[in-house]
Amino acid sequence: MHDRIRNYINENRQRMLAVLEELVAVPSVKGEPAPGAPFGRGPRAALDKAVGICRSAGFDTRICYDVVGTADLLPAGCDFPSLGILCHLDVVPAQGQRGWLTDPFKMCEKDGVLYGRGVIDDKGPFAAAFIAMKCIKDLGIPLKKGVRLIFGTDEENGSEDLEIYLKKDKLPPQVFTPDASFPVINIEKGMMRSRFSGSCKGGSIVSFHGGSIPNAVPDHAECVISGFSQELIEKLTALDRSGAQFTVRGHDIRDLKIECTGRSAHASTPEGGINAVTALIGLLDKLTLDPGKQSDIISGLAKAFPCGETDGTSAGLKCSDEKSGALTLVFSIFDMEDGKCEGCIDVRFPVCSSLAEVEKAERAALKEAHCKFEGYMGDEPHITDGDSDFVRTLLSVYERVEGVKGECIAIGGGTYVHNIPGGVAFGVERGDTDYHMHGANEFITSDELVKDALLFAEAIVELCT
């Protein structure tokens, strides 16, 4: 049976890539609500596209409450699946990100590498799961239990799609999502994504804009300042040790524009990035800005969130435990203009902490920085028993297909199963490879995607026959 599955998936490689290409072409970034499209027309278009793909393959499909699609493969006499494979079709924006070498919404293959927004997060995994289920169906492998492919449209912005779905529907008793890494992720840190604001009329800073995605290290920030010479700014940038790159242009004394380029990274692994927002704030803090609220805020933010620090030490948030590791913090968005400022901070905290503790410390740090904590979205940590039959089965499949030992791991990223009791992540990142998830030139190799489909098909067989 294993050889039949492997041969089928290899023979249908191009079918899988064609499905992925269709989905990447849909810019399914969250937008303004519209009739039948609570998260915008892009995510709804991707939902319709995916349902059509599954329906044309002979699966029983549904669009649920305009936010989630399902495709079922059920044996005779089975009216509800026991296994759910949970993917998402929405993506983070590509607009405003620098460094794309290809059109982010046109899948490009070069030397076996697939580029495009969503190829690894999470349209590629959807395509692999689709081919895995089609493999089981087309080969006529008899199942005793059913499997459901579930695909939502709001994972990147809080998973409100699942909240809507679960008000009237239920998930299968066993659920995995290919929305993170192999082998199996059974522990996920808690997450707090907070907003803050401040009032700062008058001052040396005409404007400041940095970051566009709340859950990523910002790779670009820029500001316009007055009252300083280009020579002075260039001397300061030459002394900067943040690793960021600065460009200064404009008119002396009047309006000087400073651009800062860093390196993007996912908010769960910020140590791999260079934060352009905190680097530029740190540079401005070295200037003698006009006294007032504007200067106070810049100084306070530079103190609480210094560039290069990712563990929240200066904001009073540092903590760690053996199960889930250390807290991480990303100051991801900051805008200052017309007498006001606002920003976003993303914190991933270990099992030993809680939303209440993080909120308390963050409120205090922002107050010291002359800013107001405005609220947050977040989740407590997620833990699934690593010794359950479900987890042990997935690990055994991984070991057989990959040929290496499988083990449970904990991560700082919040996957799609974060609030699903007993849910785990199974794929698709491997090792320490930086797939540029949420960044420019997001990629996955076609060979990896083929192996993902094989892993999912084998998992279905083990869990449902």
Side-chain angles (χ1 to χ4, degrees):
M1 180 186 299
H2 300 310
D3 288 341
R4 292 175 65 208
I5 292 173
R6 185 181 300 274
N7 290 339
Y8 179 97
I9 290 173
N10 282 324
E11 290 168 1
N12 284 271
R13 172 194 291 251
Q14 292 307 316
R15 173 72 180 272
M16 177 175 63
L17 298 186
V19 167
L20 178 55
E21 184 175 26
E22 283 190 67
L23 292 172
V24 169
V26 181
S28 50
V29 178
K30 187 172 184 176
E32 291 298 319
F39 307 117
R41 297 191 185 280
R44 177 56 197 250
L47 180 61
D48 290 337
K49 176 72 71 175
V51 167
I53 289 168
C54 293
R55 184 181 298 125
S56 66
F59 295 116
D60 293 328
T61 61
R62 289 175 61 209
I63 292 180
C64 308
Y65 324 113
D66 297 320
V67 297
V68 168
T70 63
D72 287 354
L73 179 59
L74 303 174
C78 176
D79 59 1
F80 191 76
S82 67
L83 173 64
I85 303 176
L86 179 62
C87 304
H88 66 88
L89 302 172
D90 60 309
V91 296
V92 298
Q95 184 178 8
Q97 286 187 328
R98 308 212 172 180
W100 278 98
L101 300 177
T102 63
D103 183 340
F105 296 109
K106 184 177 181 180
M107 191 182 81
C108 174
E109 183 172 5
K110 293 182 179 180
D111 300 322
V113 181
L114 309 170
Y115 296 94
R117 177 57 88 228
V119 293
I120 194 165
D121 184 30
D122 195 34
K123 294 176 178 180
F126 168 88
F130 164 78
I131 286 296
M133 285 179 56
K134 193 170 187 303
C135 169
I136 303 299
K137 180 178 181 295
D138 289 354
L139 293 181
I141 297 174
L143 301 181
K144 295 179 181 178
K145 302 174 183 177
V147 57
R148 171 172 290 172
L149 181 56
I150 308 162
F151 35 101
T153 55
D154 189 48
E155 188 275 341
E156 297 291 1
N157 291 278
S159 299
E160 187 182 350
D161 53 346
L162 287 185
E163 292 179 22
I164 294 170
Y165 178 74
L166 291 173
K167 286 179 180 178
K168 297 181 179 180
D169 271 275
K170 63 179 181 178
L171 293 169
Q174 296 179 326
V175 177
F176 75 76
T177 183
D179 186 37
S181 305
F182 290 116
V184 169
I185 293 169
N186 70 318
I187 297 177
E188 301 174 19
K189 291 178 183 177
M191 184 275 290
M192 176 183 286
R193 192 175 299 160
S194 59
R195 298 170 288 103
F196 70 87
S197 66
S199 178
C200 51
K201 291 184 178 180
S204 308
I205 301 172
V206 178
S207 65
F208 187 120
H209 300 288
S212 60
I213 302 171
N215 56 345
V217 175
D219 62 0
H220 183 260
E222 61 184 48
C223 69
V224 176
I225 60 173
S226 63
F228 299 93
S229 71
Q230 184 169 346
E231 181 182 7
L232 172 62
I233 302 302
E234 289 178 342
K235 284 182 179 180
L236 287 176
T237 60
L239 296 172
D240 184 81
R241 296 294 179 266
S242 67
Q245 301 296 313
F246 294 91
T247 302
V248 186
R249 57 172 61 92
H251 303 284
D252 278 1
I253 306 304
R254 287 190 294 159
D255 293 337
L256 278 180
K257 183 176 183 180
I258 308 173
E259 292 189 65
C260 179
T261 302
R263 183 171 63 240
S264 184
H266 194 275
S268 63
T269 53
E271 62 278 1
I274 298 174
N275 193 316
V277 165
T278 56
L280 185 52
I281 287 175
L283 179 73
L284 294 177
D285 187 44
K286 293 180 175 67
L287 298 172
T288 304
L289 299 173
D290 291 343
K293 283 289 187 67
Q294 198 181 75
S295 175
D296 292 341
I297 287 174
I298 291 296
S299 179
L301 292 175
K303 181 180 179 180
F305 310 107
C307 187
E309 181 182 283
T310 60
D311 64 0
T313 295
S314 300
L317 284 159
K318 183 177 180 178
C319 63
S320 64
D321 61 42
E322 291 185 4
K323 286 184 177 180
S324 50
L327 178 145
T328 61
L329 180 150
V330 172
F331 187 169
S332 54
I333 299 175
F334 185 62
D335 293 290
M336 177 182 281
E337 195 167 17
D338 298 330
K340 61 183 179 180
C341 70
E342 57 186 8
C344 180
I345 297 168
D346 187 301
V347 174
R348 309 298 171 102
F349 57 92
V351 174
C352 64
S353 189
S354 66
L355 284 169
E357 291 173 339
V358 173
E359 179 184 356
K360 181 179 179 181
E362 200 172 301
R363 279 183 180 275
L366 287 168
K367 184 177 181 180
E368 286 291 315
H370 306 276
C371 293
K372 180 183 178 183
F373 184 95
E374 293 286 1
Y376 71 88
M377 57 173 286
D379 294 295
E380 301 289 0
H382 170 82
I383 306 176
T384 292
D385 183 5
D387 289 325
S388 67
D389 290 340
F390 178 45
V391 171
R392 287 203 302 267
T393 298
L394 291 176
L395 288 175
S396 69
V397 168
Y398 175 82
E399 291 178 347
R400 183 172 68 245
V401 173
E402 296 282 333
V404 295
K405 181 173 176 55
E407 59 185 0
C408 290
I409 55 177
I411 63 166
T415 78
Y416 215 9
V417 297
H418 192 92
N419 292 312
I420 298 173
V424 298
F426 185 56
V428 295
E429 292 185 279
R430 290 173 168 82
D432 297 325
T433 301
D434 178 5
Y435 293 87
H436 298 173
M437 183 185 293
H438 290 187
N441 304 312
E442 177 181 344
F443 76 90
I444 189 173
T445 70
S446 57
D447 286 345
E448 284 176 309
L449 209 58
V450 167
K451 190 170 283 189
D452 294 339
L454 177 59
L455 282 159
F456 301 154
E458 294 279 5
I460 293 169
V461 169
E462 293 295 326
L463 292 165
C464 298
T465 59

